[in-house]
Every structure is written in C-alpha cells, then in structure tokens.
Amino acid sequence: KAYGSKHSHVGDVLNDLAYLYIIKEDYAKAAPLLEQGLEIREKAYGPEHPHVVQSLNLLATIYYQNYHKEEYAKAELLLERGLAIREKAYGLEHRDVAASLYNLAMLYDRKGDYGKAEPLYLRSLAIREKVLGSEHPDVANSLNNLASLYKKRGDIEQAIKYKERADEARERELSKNLISGSEKEKLTYLTLTTRELDQTVSLHLQSAFDDKRASRLALTAILRRKGRALDATTDNIAILRARANKEDQALFDELSSVRSQYSVQSLKGASNISIEQHKANLNTLEQQIETLEKQVSSRSAEFRTLSQPITLDGVQKSIPDNAVLVEFISYQQYDAKNNKGNKHYAVYVLANNGEPLFADLGKAEVIEQAISKLRTVLPNPKASIEKQVKPAAKTLDQLVMKPVRVLIGDKKRLLVSPDGVLNLIPFEALVDEKGNYLVENYEISYLASGRDLLRLQTKIDSQQSPVIIGNPDFGPITETRQIKEGSSIFDTIGFRPLPATEIEAKKIKELFPTGELLLQKQATEEALSKVNAPSILHIATHGFFLNEELAVQSEPNNRNPKGEIFGIEPGDSNAQMQNPLLRSGIVLAGANIHQQGKEDQGIFTALKTTNLNLWGTNLVVLSACDTGVGDVKTGEGIYGLRRALVLAGSQTQVMSLWPINDEGTSDLMVQYYKALKAGEGRSSALRKVRLEFLKNPKHQHPYYWASFIQSGEWATLDDNR
C-alpha cells in the first residue's frame, strides 16, 4: 500500500515470508512467493545484483528438497547463477562466495555426485578459514560436511580426519561464544549442533568400530558436549563476581566485556575491514582474554575449575587406579550414507590408562521400556521382590550392565555417568546373572558427565559448619484457593507438615555439635540463600518436580499420606513454566502463605539453587521426595536440582529418585551420617547402609534402600579416597 506491489521492499518481505514456509517445510506455499519476490528484485536491482542471489538460493533449496532429478537440474542452474553473480561482485575470496560454493557443494552431495561436491567444499572451507577465522561456525559446518562426504564415499580415514578438525573447531567456537546471551539463546544455539555429536558417535560405532582414533574422537565429543547446555546457561562469571571483592569484581567485569567483544567480532567476520585487520583485532582480543584469565585464575580457585580445558587425557588422569568411568550416551544413529536411523544407547568405559572400551547397547526404545517397567515396581513396596522387582531389574541389567561387566574386568568402583532416562534408575538395584543386586558387588557413584572429574580435582575449603534444615513451617493449608489471573502456580498448591523431619534433623545435629540447626519458622528461603559454603548442607523437607504439563510427580506415601502436593490442574494455562529449572525444587517455610511482594515465598527452585555459594561444601543431602528427578534431556542429564547443586559448587549430592518412606528415610539418613563420622567415604557409607537394609527383612525391598543415590565426589569427608 505504501510503496506499490513492485517495490524492492515488497520483494524483501515476500522473500522473508517464503523463508518461514521453507523452515516449516511447506514448499508449496514458499515457491510462488519466492518466484514473485525474485521477479521484483531482478527489476528493482538488476538481474546481476547480489541482492538477487538470496532469492535464487532459497528457490534452489525448494527444488532440491523435492528429490526429483529434473528439480535438481533447476536448482543447479540457480546456484551456479548465484555463484557467478557473487564472484563478479565481490571477487573470488568473499564470505558470500564461500556460501554459494557451499550451497552448490551440498546440492551435488545430496545427488551423490561426490566428485563434484568435494572440490567445492574444499574451496569454500579455504575461503572461510581465511576470511572468517578458524573459530567461526561456518568453518565448523564446512568441516562437518566434508567429514560426512568422505564417510559416504567410504574414505573413513579422511572422514575421521575432518571430523576431528570439525569437533575441535566447534569446541573452540562454543567456548568463546557461549559466554554471552540469554539462557534461551544458548540452548537454541547448542540445539543447532546436537546432530554433530550423534554423527561423531555414529562414525565410530557404525563405520569405524575398530579404529582407535574414532573411539577417542567419540568419547572426547561426549565428554565435551554431554550436559553442556546446563553448564552454559548458568552465568558462573556473574555468580562468582557477586561474591568477589571490589578489585576482583573489576577484573571480572573487564574479562566479561573483552570476551563479549571477541564473540561479536569472531561471528561478524571481516565485514567492513580487511582480512588482515580482522585477524589482528581478534589476536589482540585473544591476548587480552588470556592475560585477564590468568589474573582471575590466580585469585579464584572456582574460576580455575570452571575454565580448564576438557580433554580425554585430562579426564583419564583424574580417574583413580581402582575405579573406572562408565559413560553412557543416548544417540541418533546415522548410517554409512549419513541417513538418520534409530535412537540407540551406547557406553564408553575408561580406566586411568589404556584406550577407551565401548559397546553399542541397542535400540533406545527397548531399553527405555525396560526402565519404565522397573520404575513402576521399584517405588512400590507392595511389589513382589522375587516375582516383579528382580525380573524387571534383571531384564534391564542384561541390556545395559552385562555388556559393561565384560569391559571393566575386576574393577569394583564404578563412576557412572548416565544419559537419557537411565538417569532415573539406581544402578545398585539392578540384578546380575546370579540374582545379586549390583550393590552387593560394586560401589557406584554418579556423575552428570565424566568431565566433572576435572572439577573434583580442585579442593576448596568450606567456610561454615554444617547447616541442617528440617520441618519447615509451611503455614496453614487452604484447600480451596482462588486462582487469580497472573497468580503463581504455587498459589494452587498445599504442602502438609513433616514433623518426623524435625526428629531426623535433631539426630543429625547431635552428630555435628558445631552445626547450625534451622527448624520450622527458621527454615526459610532467606536463611538458605545466606549459607556460605557449609561443610555439609542437609535439608529434610518436601521436594517437588512438575513435568511439562505441570502434573505432579509425587505419590501418596507414609511421609505424605495424601500426596504432598494437591490442587493443580495439569496444563493450567495461567501457570505454564517453560524453564525446567523452575519446575523442580524444595519447599521451605511460608510456602503455603504467599505474601504480596514475596513471589513464591518458600518455593526454592533449582534455578535459585544455582546461585547458592556451595564452593567448598563437601556434601549436600536433600532428604525429600523426587529431588533427584527432573526433565530428562538427552545429552543433558537431569535438568533439575541434581545439576543445579553441581553448578552451585557442591562436591557431592545425595538425592532421591522417588517418593520416600518417612521412617525408613530417617533410619537411612542417621545411619549414613554415622558411617561418615566413622570414616567411611560418601559413596561407601551409603553402600554400607544399603547392605544393612538388605539384611533387615523389614527393609529388604529396594523401595526402602535404593531411592537415594550419591553423585559427585565419593571420598571421605576429609577428602580421602
């Protein structure tokens, strides 16, 4: 209306609308818009103007997405025309020329004409490395496509070579660029590269099973990328800065500023300046970052821990002689032609010397069905041990742990890093071929990722005596509540008192006389927020986890005779919370009283937990229901309290996987702390209590002894492994 139907701005809008339809794979709607937009742009700018090329490229995309040979020919003509226009306008070494070469190579790659695709990919890569630098995402994309092409040609040596380069380029890029942006932006950015980890693992397990370089490449990628989103979305620099003195705060500010400048410049490339000047600018910023990082590292052990490089050799050296890392991965298979296949689970086993060992465990669907069946009977004390529990535990063991036992030899200490829904089962409750629970033969500690072993090498002293929290005063329950527009989801929830947790807390306090005991009205959000790296943090209260539909994951049990949470309508639109870190947490004083100006008072979410100062805290125990569960995100572990406590700095976490029995929990906790006081390790103490429960006819069912798992450091409280 403003410009007329043939104006260039109208062509731009048509182009953008068509691009939206291409993203939605609605090519029938996209094609006529692009053809109309191309006609307008050709008339407005001239048929050989660079602005025309974007329309040509998108139209070509539609043609070769149709998989018809005649359409491929149309696409080829459009892409060749676009390449010629850009070469004439910009010369032979411009980033847009590299993009046109890359697009044309992708077309030939899709057609299976690898002989034509290879030189175009290589020429595009050379331009991108020269113009954009080795840490630009476009460089990683080029390297990944070359690795894929060589895999499809059966040249596995070249495929591994380029995949190594691709993964290194992506790691450098991510380490530089994930330091800025919102949580949503970081998650989206990482999602764009999820397929690359799957392809690295597939290259090894499907095409290069016996190749040592391929196995090391795959495990390195797993160690770097698994759980990466959670680490990236926690602004550790901001959290550490808040606790620093003024001088150190200035250093953190300067480091954040220079890192952000580097990120912007590296992604931008040499746009309005020469390539030489662009590289010089990046080099200057890199030197500034290195200098500032050294200064901050010398003053902050926490920063040193967070900023160390992740390498296979580094992780391997951190594994004790008597232990073995068992790293599970859920991955999407890609066949020899890089076509998507089934979801599988695999496992990589690493001792502190030798090469990684590995096994593909089979289809994820089969394994996850077995997990679901086991999770149905484990939390049910009425389920028959011999007829229901052990058969289900044995079935899952055959699928995931029998192959591991073949690889680990005589090692009895397992550092298990699960993936996917494997995070939701206690491996100790699996049953081997002889009918024994694994807890009877193995000591198991859990890790979110094997790279957490690097974090555990840094020992930081605690700043405070143990803090023990129990029986918070939630306030009176009003079972019928008015739900007002804009109200919190927790305005619809009621939490019942837990007097037995006060007895539990007092018994533990007796074991640690110098500790601080916070009960009833003292057990507040404010009090928890002020803890300063206590040696032990024990919290006995309600826990909660709301799934994506806001359905409550807690079931009625002795500790919660009517269910700990009520009044929620699943999917209630007034309270949808997209961030899983807001849907899991613990409940503190005042949770039933939502005072004006104190949003979600008493609801201490996993997101709030990441801001706690637990650097130097040896042990965090959450004696509550469902504190170890959360959204299962493949490659990301449990997106909930468990990971939040790691990110807050705690060495060890003890948490539950299902609603727990009140009496049994109190007994287990008191015995656990007594074992710790007697010099047992944080892992061995829990195993000792479990074995004692197994001997007691009253507590033999895994419901009583298997709910709590120990993650992180397994040493004694004085750090003796």
Side-chain angles (χ1 to χ4, degrees):
K1 185 176 180 180
Y3 299 114
S5 61
K6 301 298 182 182
H7 195 279
S8 61
H9 289 350
V10 176
D12 296 340
V13 174
L14 289 167
N15 208 67
D16 291 341
L17 185 57
Y19 184 51
L20 174 63
Y21 286 126
I22 289 174
I23 292 171
K24 295 174 69 176
E25 298 183 4
D26 192 344
Y27 304 121
K29 286 185 178 179
L33 295 172
L34 279 173
E35 289 166 353
Q36 186 183 351
L38 175 60
E39 182 183 353
I40 291 172
R41 283 182 159 185
E42 285 179 324
K43 287 181 179 178
Y45 299 115
E48 293 192 358
H49 194 282
H51 286 354
V52 172
V53 179
Q54 187 183 28
S55 297
L56 296 172
N57 287 342
L58 290 175
L59 201 52
T61 300
I62 292 175
Y63 287 144
Y64 74 66
Q65 290 286 4
N66 286 332
Y67 300 100
H68 299 304
K69 289 184 178 178
E70 61 273 17
E71 304 292 358
Y72 278 135
K74 289 181 183 179
E76 184 177 0
L77 289 172
L78 292 171
L79 292 174
E80 286 178 339
R81 180 185 162 195
L83 173 61
I85 290 171
R86 283 177 166 173
E87 285 181 328
K88 184 177 179 180
Y90 300 129
L92 299 181
E93 293 190 337
H94 190 275
R95 63 183 299 173
D96 288 351
V97 172
S100 286
L101 290 165
Y102 182 80
N103 291 337
L104 192 55
M106 285 182 68
L107 171 66
Y108 291 130
D109 193 343
R110 187 180 285 257
K111 286 176 65 178
D113 193 342
Y114 305 130
K116 284 187 176 179
E118 181 185 10
L120 294 171
Y121 273 142
L122 289 170
R123 184 181 159 199
S124 175
L125 172 63
I127 295 171
R128 285 174 164 176
E129 286 185 314
K130 183 175 182 179
V131 175
L132 301 173
S134 61
E135 293 171 9
H136 195 278
D138 287 352
V139 171
N141 292 341
S142 289
L143 290 165
N144 270 305
N145 276 27
L146 275 162
S148 172
L149 180 142
Y150 289 123
K151 177 184 173 183
K152 287 183 277 191
R153 289 178 67 171
D155 190 342
I156 301 303
E157 184 177 346
Q158 284 288 85
I160 294 171
K161 171 186 171 183
Y162 277 92
K163 201 70 178 79
E164 284 176 334
R165 290 182 61 190
D167 285 0
E168 284 298 323
R170 187 70 77 195
E171 176 62 20
R172 291 195 301 271
E173 173 217 329
L174 291 176
S175 65
K176 293 290 195 302
N177 293 325
L178 285 176
I179 47 83
S180 61
S182 69
E183 177 182 293
K184 185 176 180 180
E185 288 169 338
K186 291 176 180 178
L187 288 172
T188 304
Y189 195 45
L190 282 164
T191 300
L192 296 174
T193 62
T194 299
R195 188 176 66 167
E196 294 172 9
L197 174 59
D198 294 333
Q199 289 176 335
T200 301
V201 176
S202 289
L203 174 61
H204 170 224
L205 294 177
Q206 311 319 130
S207 301
F209 194 81
D210 296 322
D211 192 294
K212 290 182 179 179
R213 281 177 66 193
S215 66
R216 293 181 66 85
L217 175 64
L219 182 51
T220 299
I222 293 167
L223 292 170
R224 286 174 171 175
R225 300 294 292 281
K226 185 176 166 185
R228 186 65 170 270
L230 287 170
D231 292 11
T233 53
T234 299
D235 193 347
N236 288 297
I237 294 293
I239 293 169
L240 295 179
R241 180 198 175 282
R243 295 198 288 265
N245 59 40
K246 287 187 177 180
E247 184 180 348
D248 291 346
Q249 283 179 351
L251 275 176
F252 277 121
D253 288 342
E254 189 176 357
L255 176 59
S256 294
S257 174
V258 178
R259 279 180 165 185
S260 294
Q261 290 177 52
Y262 183 92
S263 178
V264 170
Q265 292 300 322
S266 64
L267 289 173
K268 190 176 178 182
S271 52
N272 300 319
I273 57 177
S274 68
I275 295 170
E276 291 72 20
Q277 185 60 53
H278 172 64
K279 288 183 175 180
N281 291 346
L282 288 182
N283 186 53
T284 299
L285 290 170
E286 279 184 329
Q287 290 177 355
Q288 290 178 24
I289 290 171
E290 185 177 351
T291 300
L292 288 166
E293 284 181 340
K294 285 180 179 178
Q295 288 179 276
V296 175
S297 292
S298 68
R299 306 172 74 95
S300 171
E302 294 97 324
F303 181 81
R304 286 198 301 275
T305 302
L306 294 169
S307 58
Q308 59 188 317
I310 303 159
T311 65
L312 179 59
D313 289 341
V315 171
Q316 187 166 32
K317 289 175 183 176
S318 66
I319 301 171
D321 291 339
N322 64 342
V324 62
L325 172 64
V326 182
E327 188 82 51
F328 289 95
I329 183 72
S330 172
Y331 77 104
Q332 179 76 59
Q333 280 192 322
Y334 286 87
D335 65 16
K337 294 297 182 183
N338 245 19
N339 297 313
K340 189 181 288 188
N342 295 309
K343 292 281 288 186
H344 271 226
Y345 277 91
V347 65
Y348 286 78
V349 170
L350 188 67
N352 67 356
N353 59 70
E355 295 297 324
L357 303 175
F358 45 85
D360 189 297
L361 302 176
K363 290 184 179 179
E365 181 182 5
V366 175
I367 292 171
E368 288 171 2
Q369 285 175 352
I371 292 170
S372 178
K373 187 172 182 179
L374 181 59
R375 275 185 54 79
T376 300
V377 295
L378 280 180
N380 180 9
K382 295 181 180 179
S384 168
I385 293 176
E386 296 301 327
K387 294 181 180 179
Q388 293 175 283
V389 175
K390 282 198 168 185
K394 191 170 184 178
T395 297
L396 183 57
D397 177 84
Q398 293 283 309
L399 292 169
V400 299
M401 283 304 290
K402 185 179 179 181
V404 170
R405 287 194 289 275
V406 174
L407 302 175
I408 63 176
D410 59 357
K411 295 287 172 63
K412 297 297 183 182
R413 184 185 296 281
L414 308 184
L415 309 176
V416 176
S417 172
D419 197 16
V421 289
L422 283 173
N423 278 286
L424 299 179
I425 57 110
F427 282 70
E428 293 89 344
L430 299 185
V431 175
D432 65 19
E433 303 90 340
K434 297 178 181 179
N436 297 321
Y437 292 111
L438 297 196
V439 71
E440 297 178 71
N441 293 307
Y442 297 96
E443 185 175 318
I444 300 174
S445 294
Y446 296 87
L447 301 167
S449 164
R451 72 172 175 277
D452 285 345
L453 291 169
L454 299 173
R455 178 194 294 260
L456 295 177
Q457 288 181 307
T458 303
K459 301 302 179 186
I460 299 172
D461 293 334
S462 60
Q463 303 297 314
Q464 187 179 354
S465 298
V467 174
I468 303 150
I469 298 173
N471 192 24
D473 182 357
F474 307 124
I477 294 176
T478 304
E479 301 211 11
T480 303
R481 300 185 180 208
Q482 293 291 324
I483 303 175
K484 299 177 182 179
E485 185 177 352
S487 63
S488 164
I489 180 64
F490 295 104
D491 286 331
T492 69
I493 300 174
F495 298 95
R496 303 187 184 280
L498 297 171
T501 64
E502 184 165 335
I503 299 171
E504 175 184 321
K506 287 178 176 178
K507 286 182 178 179
I508 294 169
K509 171 66 167 68
E510 290 175 4
L511 298 172
F512 299 95
T514 61
E516 182 180 3
L517 183 63
L518 300 172
L519 300 172
Q520 299 184 24
K521 292 187 183 300
Q522 294 178 313
T524 63
E525 269 198 59
E526 185 179 9
L528 179 56
S529 298
K530 288 181 177 179
V531 299
N532 181 30
S535 57
I536 294 172
L537 176 61
H538 181 94
I539 305 175
T541 183
H542 285 307
F544 67 87
F545 168 64
L546 311 177
N547 65 20
E548 289 185 357
E549 289 75 38
L550 300 184
V552 183
Q553 298 298 297
S554 293
E555 300 294 336
N557 56 79
N558 288 352
R559 179 162 278 192
N560 309 287
K562 295 185 180 180
E564 65 175 347
I565 304 175
F566 62 85
I568 295 179
E569 291 295 325
D572 199 356
S573 61
N574 72 34
Q576 288 290 342
M577 288 182 287
Q578 298 301 316
N579 186 343
L581 289 177
L582 290 171
R583 289 189 268 109
S584 60
I586 56 174
V587 188
L588 297 169
N592 292 336
I593 308 169
H594 297 281
Q595 299 175 4
Q596 194 171 10
K598 292 188 176 181
E599 184 179 355
D600 293 343
Q601 179 187 10
I603 307 299
F604 206 86
T605 62
L607 189 62
K608 293 178 182 177
T609 303
T610 62
N611 289 309
L612 291 177
N613 178 17
L614 301 179
W615 290 94
T617 297
N618 294 324
L619 174 65
V620 176
V621 177
L622 297 185
S623 180
C625 296
D626 293 323
T627 50
V629 299
D631 268 14
V632 176
K633 293 186 178 293
T634 299
E636 294 302 329
I638 296 297
Y639 203 147
L641 273 171
R642 197 191 306 184
R643 192 61 182 158
L645 287 166
V646 173
L647 297 175
S650 65
Q651 286 187 6
T652 306
Q653 309 81 39
V654 174
M655 312 178 78
S656 63
L657 293 175
W658 56 76
I660 46 181
N661 171 271
D662 197 13
E663 178 188 351
T665 298
S666 294
D667 289 347
L668 185 147
M669 285 298 161
V670 173
Q671 290 185 43
Y672 177 59
Y673 280 107
K674 285 181 177 178
L676 288 173
K677 289 280 286 185
E680 290 283 351
R682 290 164 240 184
S683 175
S684 62
L686 189 57
R687 178 172 181 259
K688 182 177 181 180
V689 175
R690 283 173 163 154
L691 293 175
E692 289 173 357
F693 269 50
L694 267 174
K695 295 174 186 176
N696 184 344
K698 185 180 177 181
H699 291 148
Q700 278 184 345
H701 197 289
Y703 166 76
Y704 296 101
W705 56 263
S707 172
F708 284 95
I709 61 169
Q710 178 267 322
S711 297
E713 179 58 66
W714 58 94
T716 62
L717 288 179
D718 58 2
D719 288 326
N720 181 7
R721 286 182 177 176

